[in-house]
């Protein structure tokens, strides 16, 4: 299929009314543009023809070649662009933490759109319109840069209704229209329209969706027993169904109310149900219920859930769906009903911060207690028998330690509460933005935000304005850690170790063993040679679902065989990979066997180590193990030691080389990093007493 293919058309067709183009489909999660669906539904009602084309994955030159062909083939009366997003919103894609490195995946759809508009001007007299979410948050600046004939701010309902009149020069009284008059951009009255009151998806749209994703990929997602269980990687293949529009919140970092309005407008439930039945005819039963947040139309959402449950009763494969929601409004019974209707949890436990002061500054509609209760409810529901078939294989947290109002106090508060609730031992992975994506319309941010935002463009000649990728890093965090790279290092460490147990996947036991004298290693594993390994319980910091078959608990038998051989065999195993620095290991059988031996030897010796941990003020559990929580250990040790060397020296002074080796093992096993810049994590009011 050639990239500019838009379906079979009759010979010598009439010019189409609207050639609708999208160059803002993020390659990180491709979706068939819902704007194509919604605008086409409005156009169909108005009797207008639309040809749609998405430039996903093509270079700028390839896009221009395809657009040239599209304009020549379809001779459109108007060309419309939607700009859903101007970038990935992830600062790492544009700003490398390493001054010598390159950004990960820079992507510049606004600049691509400007190039496309210039090409169309060379080919056609068609009027050019630009709209979409990100255009709406920066309409005048975006129009000044892109130079279309018209802009659409928010919904295009009235523009579509009066399409011919606008093309003939009428601008007065057309809501949401942006146009140039007397050398200035003029904005008409802003009106927030409601959701479409009829079915949006037609057979030609469905056909395009199958061609966009590829039929096999789309079928695989929609025929899966539980689509995307434990991951969000296939969420782009869910089918969007709008259920409401508008958001009553005023979160300082969010543009949603500016684009969708603060008044909630509900889509008729009968229409939503008809849309679901329409999609089921094509075998599509995996949806994204589009709304700003589920929480603020609670009764509407719960009634919809009841209807989906009834539909599922007669389906061979039930409907599943995703949506955005905050940790507020829904109680445990409500969440159970939503799960029963097919709700999937993309990130189980989203919150920005657990500092109520920071949440207040960011105007978030919830507080720490709501977020914690929400997480606990989901964890408990996940274990209920009726959800056994879709029990989450791994838990993913989304949090925002580096939010624009983040301080050292807010970071410590969040990590402290998370550890106190033992949630750092529950989550398998944590994610979060290192910086805020800054937009013109945001008005509740720290006053320095827009001035200090780092703006990135692809072309050097492009003016550095906020319509392009623009990111703000917390001033206090940057000043404390010494720069963006150091902030990244801390955030990566926090997400991997202090908010989740992902660090367990990164332990390189070859590296650790090579740092020990082999004679010391022989001494600490010697008790295992005569021990019954089946009777030894491993420490509580070993397992992780991503280890799979390489989880050390599965390598007991192989470890037993190795321990009965000569010491030279163990030494050879350790030195199969000579490492001068720690690297993320490719998990393999050798690493798993070494891990089992060291974990088991620690368990067998832990009673002899109680005095060490008592000296360091680290509490032991009822089984005699020190804390499994890296944060608890780190914050406790930071009261007295701000470097690993200081802590090791204190143990070396009072204890044996064997006990010192085991303390080093413990620090490495749970990835405790003692660094001066982490001293702020010591419990408030204690500080560090020595170095």
């Amino acid at each position: 299929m050639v990239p500019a293919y838009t379906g079979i058309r009759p010979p010598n067709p009439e010019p189409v009314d609207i050639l609708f183009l999208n160059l803002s489909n993020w390659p990180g999660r491709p979706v068939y543009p819902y704007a194509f669906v919604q605008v086409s539904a409005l156009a169909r009602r108005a009797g207008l023809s639309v040809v749609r084309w998405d430039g996903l994955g093509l270079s700028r030159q390839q896009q221009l070649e395809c657009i040239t062909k599209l304009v020549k083939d379809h001779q459109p009366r108007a060309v419309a662009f939607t700009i859903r997003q101007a970038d990935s919103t992830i600062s790492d894609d544009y700003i490398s933490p390493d001054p010598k490195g390159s950004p990960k995946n820079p992507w510049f759809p606004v600049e691509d759109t400007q190039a496309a508009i210039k090409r169309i001007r060379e080919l056609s007299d068609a009027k050019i319109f630009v709209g979409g979410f990100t255009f709406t948050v920066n309409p005048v600046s975006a129009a000044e840069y892109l130079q279309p004939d018209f802009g659409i701010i928010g919904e295009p309902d009235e523009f579509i209704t009066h399409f011919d009149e606008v093309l003939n020069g009428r601008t007065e009284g057309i809501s949401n229209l942006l146009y140039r008059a007397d050398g200035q951009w003029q904005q008409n009255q802003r009106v927030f329209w409601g959701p479409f009151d009829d079915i949006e998806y037609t057979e030609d749209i469905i056909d395009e969706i199958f061609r966009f994703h590829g039929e096999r990929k789309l079928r695989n997602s929609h025929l899966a027993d539980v689509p995307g269980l434990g991951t969000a990687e296939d969420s782009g293949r869910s089918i969007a169904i709008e259920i409401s529009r508008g958001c009553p919140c005023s979160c300082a970092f969010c543009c949603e109310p500016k684009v969708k309005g603060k008044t909630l407008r509900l889509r008729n439930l009968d229409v939503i149900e008809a849309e679901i039945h329409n999609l089921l005819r094509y075998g599509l039963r995996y949806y994204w219920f589009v709304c700003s947040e589920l929480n603020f139309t609670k009764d509407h959402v719960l009634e919809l859930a009841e209807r989906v449950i009834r539909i599922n009763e007669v389906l061979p494969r039930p409907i599943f769906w995703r949506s955005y929601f905050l940790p507020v409004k829904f109680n445990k019974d409500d969440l159970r009903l939503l799960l029963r209707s097919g709700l999937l949890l993309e990130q189980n436990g989203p919150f920005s911060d657990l500092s109520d002061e920071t949440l207040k500054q960011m105007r978030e509609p919830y507080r720490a207690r709501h977020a914690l209760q929400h997480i606990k409810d989901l964890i408990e529901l996940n274990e209920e028998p009726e959800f056994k078939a879709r029990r989450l294989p791994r838990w993913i947290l989304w949090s925002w330690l580096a939010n624009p109002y983040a301080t050292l106090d807010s970071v410590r508060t969040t990590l402290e509460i998370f550890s106190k609730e033992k949630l750092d031992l529950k989550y398998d992975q944590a994610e979060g933005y290192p910086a805020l994506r800054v937009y013109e319309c945001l008005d509740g941010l720290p006053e320095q935000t827009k001035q200090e935002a780092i703006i990135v463009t692809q072309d050097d000649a492009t003016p550095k304005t906020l319509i392009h990728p623009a990111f703000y890093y917390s001033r206090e965090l940057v000043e404390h850690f010494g720069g963006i790279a150091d902030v990244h290092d801390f955030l990566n460490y926090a997400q991997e170790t202090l908010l989740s147990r992902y660090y367990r996947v990164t332990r390189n036991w070859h590296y650790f063993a090579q740092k020990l004298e082999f004679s010391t290693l022989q001494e600490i594993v010697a008790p295992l040679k005569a021990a019954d390994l089946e009777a030894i319980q491993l420490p509580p910091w070993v397992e992780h679902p991503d280890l799979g078959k390489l989880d050390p608990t599965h390598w007991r038998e192989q470890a037993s065989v190795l321990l009965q051989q000569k010491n030279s065999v163990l030494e050879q195993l350790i030195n199969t990979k000579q490492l001068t620095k720690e690297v993320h290991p490719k998990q393999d059988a050798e690493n798993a066997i070494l891990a089992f031996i060291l974990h088991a030897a620690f368990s067998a010796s832990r009673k002899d180590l109680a005095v060490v941990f008592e000296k360091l003020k680290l509490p032991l559990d009822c089984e005699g193990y020190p804390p499994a929580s890296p944060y608890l250990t780190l914050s406790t040790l930071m009261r007295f030691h701000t470097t690993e060397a200081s802590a090791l020296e204190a143990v070396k002074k009072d204890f044996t080389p064997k006990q010192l080796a085991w303390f080093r093992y413990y620090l490495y096993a749970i990835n405790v990093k003692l660094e001066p810049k982490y001293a702020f994590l010591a419990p408030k009011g204690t500080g560090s007493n020595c170095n």
Side-chain angles (χ1 to χ4, degrees):
M1 183 176 76
V2 296
Y5 179 71
T6 54
I8 298 172
R9 295 180 57 78
N12 302 315
E14 293 293 321
V16 299
D17 294 310
I18 302 172
L19 174 60
F20 197 3
L21 305 176
N22 178 38
L23 304 182
S24 63
N25 207 328
W26 181 40
R29 187 174 294 181
V31 297
Y32 181 83
Y34 194 35
F36 281 6
V37 180
Q38 295 194 299
V39 173
S40 295
L42 291 169
R44 186 169 63 251
R45 176 171 286 178
L48 302 175
S49 58
V50 181
V51 168
R52 298 158 293 271
W53 184 78
D54 189 289
L56 173 69
L58 300 179
S59 69
R60 184 179 298 175
Q61 183 57 39
Q62 290 170 328
Q63 290 174 348
L64 295 179
E65 290 177 15
C66 292
I67 289 170
T68 298
K69 183 177 187 303
L70 289 165
V71 171
K72 289 180 178 179
D73 285 355
H74 298 293
Q75 297 296 307
R77 298 171 63 203
V79 179
F81 289 87
T82 179
I83 303 179
R84 179 178 180 269
Q85 55 194 97
D87 48 78
S88 68
T89 73
I90 302 170
S91 62
D92 288 12
D93 288 343
Y94 300 89
I95 303 166
S96 174
D98 180 358
K100 297 180 181 179
S102 300
K104 289 183 179 178
N105 300 295
W107 171 64
F108 301 93
V110 176
E111 291 178 78
D112 291 342
T113 300
Q114 188 207 46
I117 289 173
K118 288 180 178 179
R119 173 60 60 89
I120 291 166
R121 296 285 192 212
E122 297 169 359
L123 300 169
S124 171
D125 293 328
K127 296 297 183 183
I128 297 175
F129 297 79
V130 181
F133 191 101
T134 298
F135 178 84
T136 296
V137 302
N138 313 285
V140 175
S141 297
E144 190 62 35
Y145 172 70
L146 295 169
Q147 291 295 308
D149 295 297
F150 300 96
I152 307 297
I153 305 174
E155 297 96 345
D157 297 49
E158 197 156 7
F159 155 67
I160 293 292
T161 301
H162 299 281
F163 177 78
D164 288 321
E165 297 167 66
V166 174
L167 258 58
N168 289 327
R170 177 187 167 187
T171 56
E172 184 180 353
I174 309 297
S175 66
N176 301 345
L177 190 68
L178 179 72
Y179 59 95
R180 187 178 282 279
D182 301 324
Q184 300 291 324
W185 288 101
Q186 306 292 328
Q187 300 182 47
N188 283 351
Q189 179 187 8
R190 183 79 164 90
V191 175
F192 295 98
W193 296 86
F196 197 61
D197 61 359
D198 202 349
I199 289 174
E200 293 178 325
Y201 286 90
T202 58
E203 190 165 342
D204 60 327
I205 293 281
I206 297 294
D207 178 64
E208 287 182 19
I209 291 172
F210 273 99
R211 286 192 283 116
F212 177 84
H213 290 292
E215 181 169 1
R216 184 168 298 176
K217 281 188 176 181
L218 194 67
R219 290 293 184 204
N220 282 343
S221 290
H222 286 260
L223 288 173
D225 290 338
V226 182
L229 182 62
T231 177
E233 290 180 1
D234 74 341
S235 61
R237 294 193 287 276
S238 59
I239 305 299
I241 302 176
E242 187 171 32
I243 63 171
S244 68
R245 194 177 295 177
C247 178
C249 300
S250 301
C251 300
F253 53 85
C254 182
C255 302
E256 191 82 6
K258 306 283 186 181
V259 176
K260 303 289 184 70
K262 300 196 74 166
T263 301
L264 295 167
R265 289 95 74 204
L266 307 181
R267 193 175 184 193
N268 184 285
L269 285 169
D270 291 338
V271 173
I272 298 172
E273 188 170 350
E275 191 80 85
I276 289 172
H277 284 293
N278 176 44
L279 292 167
L280 287 171
R281 293 191 302 118
Y282 300 96
L284 301 174
R285 33 77 77 163
Y286 174 29
Y287 310 132
W288 190 289
F289 286 161
V290 176
C291 58
S292 296
E293 303 287 353
L294 283 178
N295 312 74
F296 303 106
T297 56
K298 178 177 174 178
D299 292 343
H300 181 68
V301 170
L302 294 179
E303 186 176 345
L304 174 59
E306 295 277 14
R307 292 190 181 208
V308 174
I309 289 170
R310 288 195 292 272
I311 295 172
N312 278 340
E313 289 173 354
V314 298
L315 294 179
R317 290 180 180 271
I319 290 165
F320 285 98
W321 57 277
R322 299 182 186 271
S323 193
Y324 291 122
F325 60 101
L326 293 170
V328 69
K329 298 287 187 183
F330 292 122
N331 61 34
K332 188 175 179 180
D333 288 336
D334 298 331
L335 290 170
R336 182 183 292 108
L337 179 65
L338 297 180
L339 290 169
R340 195 173 286 155
S341 73
L343 170 65
L344 293 169
L345 303 177
E346 181 169 2
Q347 288 147 327
N348 6 88
F351 61 82
S352 293
D353 204 286
L354 292 179
S355 162
D356 282 346
E357 178 61 29
T358 303
L359 291 171
K360 181 180 178 181
Q361 288 178 301
M362 292 207 297
R363 305 178 188 171
E364 295 262 31
Y366 63 90
R367 294 295 179 261
R369 67 183 185 278
H370 302 121
L372 293 171
Q373 188 60 54
H374 177 80
I375 291 171
K376 291 174 184 177
D377 287 345
L378 293 179
I379 289 173
E380 291 172 6
L381 287 167
N382 190 60
E383 298 302 318
E384 291 190 357
E386 72 171 296
F387 303 120
K388 182 178 179 180
R390 47 180 295 197
R391 190 163 290 161
L392 290 169
R394 59 203 304 274
W395 284 76
I396 305 172
L397 173 75
W398 194 93
S399 66
W400 199 6
L401 283 181
N403 64 73
Y405 282 101
T407 64
L408 299 180
D409 280 347
S410 72
V411 171
R412 181 182 58 251
T413 296
T414 297
L415 296 175
E416 192 174 77
I417 292 173
F418 209 67
S419 173
K420 182 180 178 182
E421 299 292 335
K422 295 183 170 54
L423 293 172
D424 55 336
L425 304 179
K426 175 63 179 177
Y427 281 92
D428 301 302
Q429 182 180 339
E431 301 171 346
Y433 291 144
L436 167 73
R437 180 25 168 123
V438 182
Y439 298 97
E440 282 183 6
C441 70
L442 299 178
D443 54 15
L445 296 169
E447 61 182 29
Q448 73 273 12
T449 302
K450 293 179 183 178
Q451 291 75 28
E452 295 181 7
I454 300 172
I455 300 172
V456 183
T457 59
Q458 184 173 25
D459 301 330
D460 292 339
T462 300
K464 299 291 193 291
T465 66
L466 296 178
I467 65 172
H468 302 290
F471 301 95
Y472 170 75
Y473 292 83
S474 162
R475 176 189 283 181
E476 183 166 331
L477 297 190
V478 171
E479 289 177 351
H480 174 78
F481 287 105
I484 290 173
D486 300 287
V487 171
H488 272 264
D489 287 345
F490 171 71
L491 292 175
N492 289 337
Y493 176 60
Q495 290 167 2
E496 181 179 286
T497 304
L498 307 180
L499 288 168
S500 81
R501 52 185 190 163
Y502 188 76
Y503 67 89
R504 299 179 186 181
V505 180
T506 71
R507 300 301 79 199
N508 190 326
W509 293 106
H510 288 279
Y511 171 77
F512 174 78
Q514 287 173 20
K515 287 179 66 179
L516 294 177
E517 292 287 342
F518 186 67
S519 58
T520 302
L521 185 66
Q522 284 180 289
E523 183 181 1
I524 64 177
V525 303
L528 294 183
K529 290 183 177 291
D532 178 6
L533 296 190
E534 292 293 335
I536 295 179
Q537 175 185 347
L538 296 190
W541 48 72
V542 175
E543 297 178 81
H544 191 285
D546 288 2
L547 289 172
K549 294 180 180 179
L550 294 173
D551 186 313
T553 57
H554 301 320
W555 293 85
R556 195 180 303 262
E557 182 178 342
Q558 292 85 342
S560 179
V561 171
L562 186 145
L563 288 167
Q564 300 310 313
Q565 299 182 47
K566 295 179 180 179
N567 286 330
S568 59
V569 177
L570 176 60
E571 186 173 17
Q572 183 180 358
L573 175 67
I574 291 169
N575 293 312
T576 52
K577 300 171 184 175
Q578 288 295 326
L579 302 170
T580 57
K581 63 179 182 178
E582 183 176 13
V583 294
H584 191 306
K586 179 182 179 182
Q587 294 293 340
D588 55 24
E590 293 172 346
N591 199 63
I593 292 170
L594 270 177
F596 177 86
I597 290 171
L598 289 163
H599 293 322
F602 179 87
S603 284
S605 305
R606 67 186 185 277
K607 290 182 180 179
D608 299 332
L609 303 172
V611 290
V612 178
F613 296 116
E614 181 181 353
K615 174 80 173 179
L616 295 168
K617 310 298 184 186
L618 292 170
L620 301 179
D621 65 16
C622 59
E623 299 290 335
Y625 289 104
S629 165
Y631 178 80
L632 177 56
T633 297
L634 175 65
S635 60
T636 301
L637 292 177
M638 274 292 177
R639 295 169 58 193
F640 308 100
H641 307 284
T642 59
T643 66
E644 182 174 316
S646 169
L648 292 175
E649 186 60 33
V651 174
K652 181 179 180 180
K653 178 182 175 183
D654 295 328
F655 300 100
T656 67
K658 182 178 178 181
Q659 289 169 315
L660 175 63
W662 278 129
F663 180 60
R664 290 176 63 186
Y665 153 86
Y666 172 64
L667 293 181
Y668 185 76
I670 65 171
N671 200 28
V672 169
K673 295 183 178 180
L674 297 170
E675 298 184 10
K677 289 182 180 178
Y678 296 174
F680 73 95
L681 296 176
K684 195 170 184 179
T686 60
S688 176
N689 298 324
C690 64
N691 294 318

